[in-house]
């Protein structure tokens, strides 16, 4: 069993995982964005859960408003961007199936490690 108490700092950080799945936390400051036209995870689905804050997820051109408790599934290969549209940090927990990043936060090629 693995476990971790999450303490959201700034930016993106892989926090837990194994060969089949992975968890990472992301904190964006007000007006900050992550992702964009070149942001796709070719080898992994991404589940994004909003812990706190407000924002928007733009997935394949479709906008979804984000707020505390929102859960979004971003299918593998879909272009996406996450934006903080609020006045406080946007904190998200992101699950990748299978893992999408190395422990250092570098993106894995499709097909894994």
């Amino acid at each position: 069993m693995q476990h971790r108490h999450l303490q959201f700092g700034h930016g993106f950080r892989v926090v837990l995982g194994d060969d089949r799945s992975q968890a990472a936390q992301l904190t964006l400051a007000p007006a900050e964005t992550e992702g964009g036209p070149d942001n796709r995870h070719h080898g992994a689905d991404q589940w994004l859960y909003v812990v706190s804050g407000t924002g928007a997820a733009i997935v394949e051109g479709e906008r979804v408003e984000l707020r505390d408790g929102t859960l979004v599934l971003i299918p593998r290969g879909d272009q996406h961007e996450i934006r903080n549209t609020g006045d406080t940090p946007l904190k998200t927990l992101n699950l990748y199936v299978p893992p999408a990043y190395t422990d250092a936060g570098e993106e894995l090629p499709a097909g894994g490690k």
Side-chain angles (χ1 to χ4, degrees):
M1 176 177 70
Q2 298 182 48
H3 70 281
R4 168 113 16 170
H5 177 80
L6 302 181
Q7 296 181 343
F8 287 82
H10 182 262
F12 178 85
R13 183 167 58 111
V14 173
V15 292
L16 209 58
D18 60 20
D19 290 339
R20 295 176 306 282
S21 61
Q22 178 178 63
Q25 59 190 42
L26 172 67
T27 302
L28 298 176
E32 191 173 16
T33 65
E34 178 76 21
D38 296 326
N39 188 30
R40 301 171 189 271
H41 307 294
H42 293 287
D45 291 332
Q46 177 180 351
W47 292 85
L48 180 144
Y49 177 77
V50 179
V51 175
S52 65
T54 57
I58 295 86
V59 181
E60 291 292 310
E62 182 179 344
R63 183 182 176 106
V64 174
E65 296 301 319
L66 303 176
R67 66 177 189 272
D68 299 9
T70 302
L71 179 64
V72 177
L73 170 58
I74 303 169
R76 65 189 71 208
D78 280 6
Q79 180 275 324
H80 58 282
E81 178 180 4
I82 308 303
R83 298 177 183 169
N84 182 340
T85 60
D87 297 327
T88 61
L90 174 63
K91 298 177 182 180
T92 66
L93 175 64
N94 301 273
L95 304 174
Y96 299 94
V97 181
Y101 293 93
T102 67
D103 290 342
E106 298 297 320
E107 191 161 4
L108 292 168
K113 301 176 181 183

